[in-house]
Amino acid sequence: MSRPAGSPPTVQETLQGAAAAPGVAIGPAVCLRGHGVQVLRVPIRRHDLDREVERFGAAVRTVETELEATENRIAETYGSDLASIFHAHSVILRDSSFARRIDRTIREDRVNAEWAVQSVADDLGEKFAQVKSQHLRERGEDLRDVTRYLLRALAGKKSSPGVGVDFDRNVVVVSHELTPDEVLRLGRHGAVGFAIEVGGANSHTAIVARALDVPLVTGIVDITNRVADDDPVIVDGEEGRFTLHPRPETLELYGVLQRRRRQKEEVLTTAARKLPARSRDGVGVELLANVELPEEFEDVQRFGAAGIGLYRSEFLYLEKSPELPTEEEYLAVVRGLLEALAPQPVVVRTLDLGGGKTARGHDDQEEENPVLGLRGIRLTLARTDIFRSQLRALFRAAAFGNLRIMVPMVTAVEEIRALRALCAQVCSELTTEGIDHRRDVEIGAMVEVPATVLIARQLAAEVDFLSIGTNDLIQYTLAVDRTNEQVTGLYQPLHPAILSMIQLVVEAGRRQPVPVTLCGEMAASPECVPLLLGLGLRELSMSPRNIPLAKEVVRTVDVGDAEELARRCVAASTAGEVRELLAEARASPV
Ligand code: PEP
Ligand code: MG
């Protein structure tokens, strides 16, 4: 989409959304097309063409089933007239010449199914638009609907199968929504900023943008209809603002802000590397790093982390999908991390796919409620074929440093027992095969679900450490979808229920005793750090970039005072009251 010559002069427009990944990006926009589903042209290798055609076939079958169900439902409720609309959609879908053209486009142009669907639909759509007959023009509308269904179905089966996206570097990508692996691919391909309509600031999409250090704003209403390709735009990931057609003085201002931010980060980082993470009254705190991508591995030392508290190893699977990383590939990555950081600890989380993160090829079963479905430890125990190779690689890597294995989405003690049994089997196999490995690796559980908090005492007796994943714990406790920008305001880390949950887990850890870490985004919030210390936490894991500031805060805290502050916060009635208590404490530091 480009603005026609001679159109009226553009004026600066500022749209407010939510900040999801900090920083400022200035650049021309690339607007991803396609009815709320992005359409990118992705080259497909010759030997993958059959698979791509089959992916399209599977999408057709999905849409057929959905349409049939909708048609029946509508016929029952509203009668056959209305149902005939959906019947017309089915007719287009079953029209073999439409499907054949798409198959041919995939094969001849060697492109992804999404691009082929959109190109064929655009071409036919133009033809429909030119005809005089009202009836045929309506068929054009139907075609657009069918295209949308197909794109949605393809997105459900994961789109963007490869790299090779068609755009210049240094662009700001504007889209209805983006999945974590799309942000990964686009960010690596040179996108300098993202602005999207839907998605929460605590989603994995936002986490990946932060990991890549690419600013992201979300919740910008109707942005895909307001922005045209090449429009100059600014993404302000600090304030959650998006500026379209910035005036020269606005550009100037943002340029200055960008330089200041970098300078401030540099000063903080240099200072943080030299100083210990110790409170004013001498209590030592471990500030660990959360990492997802190889790009961040260097940051662990650069920002002065005491080790890795969470390696979201599923990103290796997302990056490689649809292929699985081999045991050797997985081993090489983990071994590299362990050797680089030894004797510091490296906590590797086992595959946390499912929920918001699906990798193409591993999401065969579509789920109605994936966040309540087969995710984390549930998925891995169900797919021991994948999990075994991961565990083999981990026990082999353990010989090279200080490895700890952490299990996501635990909700029952039996899951830990099943995991331990599998670990024992895998180690026996490695012994029989004469392969070097280390058995005595600590195993920990993530506490991300209210039920898990309530059995934290029993769980603590079965594991070597606990790690509180507040991103999910907040989602499940408050019944607020972390990826839904419409309920962002209800996603409240300071809700007294969340503080009580943290307190319960810390208490369970103390009794056993096993160490307790907190590795959700909450750990990175400077306002929360005194409170978390007051609640008894001594290990916090966060994005490496946040460590210098967290360290600065830790060094100002008196833990005795923080404990008193925490007592008052837990007893508060609302998140607002907690916020006020924290603000008061900041005004007269604890
Ligand atoms: C969490 O849920 O807090 C967590 C650290 O895991 P993730 O954000 O990857 O779900
Ligand atoms: Mg989680």
Side-chain angles (χ1 to χ4, degrees):
M1 192 171 36
S2 63
R3 206 168 293 286
S7 55
T10 49
V11 285
Q12 173 170 318
E13 208 180 336
T14 301
L15 308 169
Q16 189 63 47
V24 168
I26 302 176
V30 162
C31 194
L32 303 180
R33 298 187 293 153
H35 314 283
V37 177
Q38 64 168 29
V39 179
L40 299 175
R41 182 188 176 111
V42 181
I44 300 292
R45 286 173 300 195
R46 193 190 295 275
H47 64 269
D48 286 334
L49 286 172
D50 282 344
R51 195 160 45 178
E52 198 58 19
V53 168
E54 173 43 33
R55 200 162 77 83
F56 168 62
V60 171
R61 289 192 293 279
T62 303
V63 176
E64 262 175 359
T65 315
E66 279 168 10
L67 281 176
E68 202 178 322
T70 312
E71 191 182 333
N72 290 341
R73 229 179 21 246
I74 301 269
E76 265 170 35
T77 319
Y78 300 102
S80 57
D81 270 2
L82 211 51
S84 68
I85 296 176
F86 295 91
H87 186 68
H89 289 160
S90 299
V91 171
I92 293 184
L93 201 61
R94 288 200 201 106
D95 177 348
S96 55
S97 66
F98 177 58
R100 258 205 316 274
R101 267 189 76 169
I102 294 170
D103 280 2
R104 212 171 45 234
T105 306
I106 295 174
R107 288 187 190 284
E108 288 177 3
D109 297 353
R110 292 208 217 145
V111 287
N112 53 324
E114 289 87 344
W115 187 263
V117 168
Q118 188 70 61
S119 313
V120 170
D122 283 352
D123 193 36
L124 289 174
E126 265 174 39
K127 294 194 173 110
F128 277 124
Q130 283 158 12
V131 294
K132 290 228 163 61
S133 146
Q134 158 101 14
H135 172 72
L136 279 181
R137 277 210 306 275
E138 278 171 10
R139 294 292 69 79
E141 296 280 325
D142 290 339
L143 178 71
R144 266 199 292 283
D145 288 340
V146 170
T147 306
R148 196 176 67 237
Y149 302 148
L150 283 171
L151 291 175
R152 288 247 160 92
L154 284 164
K157 299 208 167 299
K158 300 312 296 165
S159 53
S160 314
V163 289
V165 182
D166 249 1
F167 61 71
D168 295 333
R169 302 181 76 80
N170 302 325
V171 294
V172 169
V173 174
V174 169
S175 179
H176 177 65
E177 63 183 327
L178 289 169
T179 61
D181 54 321
E182 285 158 357
V183 165
L184 183 57
R185 288 176 216 274
L186 294 165
R188 286 202 174 141
H189 198 76
V192 293
F194 298 107
I196 52 177
E197 293 173 353
V198 301
N202 295 289
S203 63
H204 285 101
T205 294
I207 288 173
V208 174
R210 291 198 282 270
L212 292 171
D213 199 22
V214 178
L216 167 75
V217 291
T218 176
I220 310 274
V221 179
D222 205 28
I223 191 174
T224 47
N225 287 324
R226 290 166 181 242
V227 178
D229 281 350
D230 297 325
D231 277 350
V233 299
I234 299 175
V235 169
D236 178 349
E238 311 282 334
E239 301 295 332
R241 230 173 264 143
F242 179 83
T243 308
L244 181 58
H245 300 299
R247 285 192 288 269
E249 59 272 26
T250 311
L251 279 169
E252 174 80 29
L253 179 72
Y254 270 108
V256 173
L257 285 177
Q258 248 176 329
R259 278 196 298 280
R260 282 214 191 128
R261 176 179 177 254
R262 277 195 216 114
Q263 277 163 2
K264 200 171 146 203
E265 192 178 278
E266 208 42 59
V267 171
L268 251 179
T269 307
T270 314
R273 262 203 308 264
K274 294 193 199 124
L275 297 169
R278 191 167 302 135
S279 70
R280 226 170 57 214
D281 49 342
V283 177
V285 178
E286 297 270 282
L287 296 179
L288 301 151
N290 289 355
V291 290
E292 294 75 38
L293 310 172
E295 283 91 329
E296 292 172 290
F297 293 171
E298 269 185 18
D299 289 349
V300 177
Q301 281 164 331
R302 178 165 162 237
F303 291 105
I308 292 180
L310 166 63
Y311 170 36
R312 292 181 164 100
S313 77
E314 59 275 8
F315 279 89
L316 205 60
Y317 288 72
L318 291 172
E319 282 177 68
K320 281 222 70 184
S321 74
E323 278 126 47
L324 292 168
T326 61
E327 183 178 321
E328 297 303 322
E329 284 168 334
Y330 196 84
L331 170 66
V333 173
V334 179
R335 178 179 169 170
L337 273 177
L338 285 165
E339 284 178 336
L341 293 178
Q344 292 185 332
V346 174
V347 179
V348 176
R349 175 168 80 181
T350 58
L351 208 55
D352 191 16
L353 286 177
K357 288 167 288 187
T358 39
R360 199 176 155 226
H362 318 307
D363 57 339
D364 312 325
Q365 309 269 315
E366 284 192 14
E367 296 180 295
E368 196 72 26
N369 285 307
V371 190
L372 302 180
L374 204 56
R375 60 169 297 199
I377 182 72
R378 302 169 183 181
L379 179 67
T380 41
L381 290 177
R383 290 293 307 267
T384 43
D385 52 328
I386 300 176
F387 197 27
R388 256 173 199 282
S389 107
Q390 186 177 40
L391 286 179
R392 283 174 63 96
L394 286 173
F395 284 106
R396 289 173 64 189
F400 299 94
N402 184 359
L403 174 72
R404 295 175 194 165
I405 296 176
M406 182 159 83
V407 192
M409 270 299 285
V410 174
T411 52
V413 164
E414 292 94 315
E415 288 165 338
I416 293 296
R417 292 183 185 156
L419 173 89
R420 285 204 185 271
L422 201 59
C423 290
Q425 274 175 24
V426 162
C427 288
S428 302
E429 269 168 32
L430 289 170
T431 307
T432 313
E433 291 166 32
I435 297 177
D436 278 350
H437 65 285
R438 202 175 125 190
R439 259 171 195 256
D440 60 335
V441 178
E442 291 190 355
I443 307 256
M446 288 193 75
V447 181
E448 307 183 86
V449 178
T452 320
V453 173
L454 298 178
I455 57 157
R457 194 172 48 81
Q458 295 92 317
L459 199 58
E462 309 253 347
V463 293
D464 302 301
F465 63 96
L466 294 170
S467 187
I468 310 176
T470 43
N471 302 340
D472 276 314
L473 186 60
I474 296 166
Q475 154 165 277
Y476 292 119
T477 304
L478 304 182
V480 174
D481 179 352
R482 64 193 266 195
T483 67
N484 181 346
E485 78 294 343
Q486 305 207 46
V487 285
T488 295
L490 298 175
Y491 188 94
Q492 297 177 323
L494 299 180
H495 192 296
I498 302 300
L499 306 187
S500 297
M501 296 241 167
I502 295 173
Q503 199 177 37
L504 283 173
V505 182
V506 171
E507 191 47 44
R510 218 174 248 160
R511 276 216 220 152
Q512 184 56 32
V514 291
V516 178
T517 310
L518 190 144
C519 65
E521 295 298 299
M522 192 176 174
S525 149
E527 83 167 333
C528 291
V529 168
L531 173 58
L532 296 176
L533 298 188
L535 286 168
L537 284 155
R538 296 293 176 263
E539 290 180 19
L540 302 175
S541 193
M542 62 195 76
S543 161
R545 249 162 233 289
N546 294 117
I547 288 179
L549 185 54
K551 197 182 270 186
E552 197 179 69
V553 177
V554 166
R555 294 178 57 79
T556 62
V557 172
D558 178 289
V559 171
D561 292 347
E563 282 167 354
E564 175 53 29
L565 172 69
R567 264 191 294 278
R568 293 171 65 203
C569 289
V570 173
S573 303
T574 66
E577 281 176 33
V578 174
R579 214 170 297 115
E580 274 169 30
L581 286 168
L582 295 184
E584 269 170 35
R586 266 203 307 280
S588 51
V590 290

